[in-house]
Amino acid sequence: MAKNESPHARHRQRLRNRFMEDGLQNFAEHEVLELMLFYCIPRHNTNPIAHALIDHFGSLSQVMTAPPTELQKVSGIGENAATFLALLNAFCRYYSSAKGKDPVILDSGAKCKNYFASRFFGARNETVQMVCLDAKGKLLCHKELGEGSVNSAAVPIRRIVEIALGVNASAVVLAHNHPSGLALPSPEDELTTRQLAVALSAVDITLADHIIVADGDPISMRLSGKYHPDDCRILI
């Protein structure tokens, strides 16, 4: 070992080599964290820190969605490391929204479910999103409408109509998440869906579907029989 070399340098290199050769598929959750922490904790053994994070939060996914203030309660995690982990979480969501240069076509309920499955990754609070589609199901825009429960007061129906008119949409798909882990539509979800459908119909725009996501598992209110748009010009 070189005179100024960290005592953990060779272990770090072995872990990097494993990743470069095989990716993360054979890594345990604590090893994934250990590897990531190399890049914000340069001269300490990150293995016990990674174990402490998993023990404290229960899983890698819970670590990645924890607020930075909570992360810093774990010994060895300072402000830089907490910010780095929060940045990774935000980057994953950003990448999911930005990837792909080809036009996005959402012309079926299944495609809408797949599209929104990763759009709520890391969201700790209930969040409302929408997409606008043209007559062939091509994505025209994707908007996040804010946080809060989906009910007649929280969903900005007028704003949704204005956004849809502004991009000359033929249809809208509404989506929100249930952080509780249960994707079943609530009575409030069903009421809001009907109210939004009526408002959009008044300007000749279809509410094609309402997607609810919990733990990455989406449910289509339309495909599950909870919502039936009068005019299904887009989704089949």
Side-chain angles (χ1 to χ4, degrees), residues 17-18 27 44 66 71 90 107 109 134 141 161 185 189 209 214 236:
N17 290 343
R18 278 181 58 194
F27 276 57
H44 290 83
L71 291 170
D107 58 357
D134 70 9
C141 74
V161 172
D189 295 337
D209 208 342
I236 58 174

Side-chain angles (χ1 to χ4, degrees), residues 146-208:
E147 294 184 348
S149 299
V150 174
N151 54 48
S152 57
V155 173
I157 291 179
R158 180 174 179 177
R159 183 182 172 203
I160 291 173
V161 172
E162 290 174 348
I163 291 171
L165 287 172
V167 296
N168 196 28
S170 293
V172 165
V173 178
L174 186 69
H176 78 283
N177 63 319
H178 282 181
S180 64
L182 297 175
L184 295 176
S186 67
E188 291 80 11
D189 295 337
E190 295 181 26
L191 175 61
T192 299
T193 302
R194 290 194 295 269
Q195 290 176 331
L196 179 57
V198 170
L200 288 168
S201 178
V203 290
D204 198 29
I205 298 173
T206 300
L207 178 62

Side-chain angles (χ1 to χ4, degrees), residues 73-142:
K73 293 179 180 179
V74 176
S75 179
I77 297 295
E79 183 179 358
N80 286 344
T83 301
F84 178 75
L85 293 175
L87 174 62
L88 285 175
N89 179 22
F91 172 79
C92 288
R93 283 185 287 170
Y94 187 92
Y95 171 75
S96 294
S97 297
K99 69 178 179 179
K101 295 182 180 180
D102 295 332
V104 176
I105 305 297
L106 303 178
D107 58 357
S108 72
K111 289 181 181 179
C112 288
K113 287 172 59 178
N114 290 337
Y115 175 84
F116 280 110
S118 63
R119 293 311 190 274
F120 295 92
F121 177 79
R124 296 181 292 273
N125 300 317
E126 204 159 308
T127 305
V128 184
Q129 301 182 22
M130 66 174 284
V131 294
C132 294
L133 310 174
D134 70 9
K136 294 183 179 180
K138 178 182 175 181
L139 179 68
L140 299 175
C141 74
H142 177 154

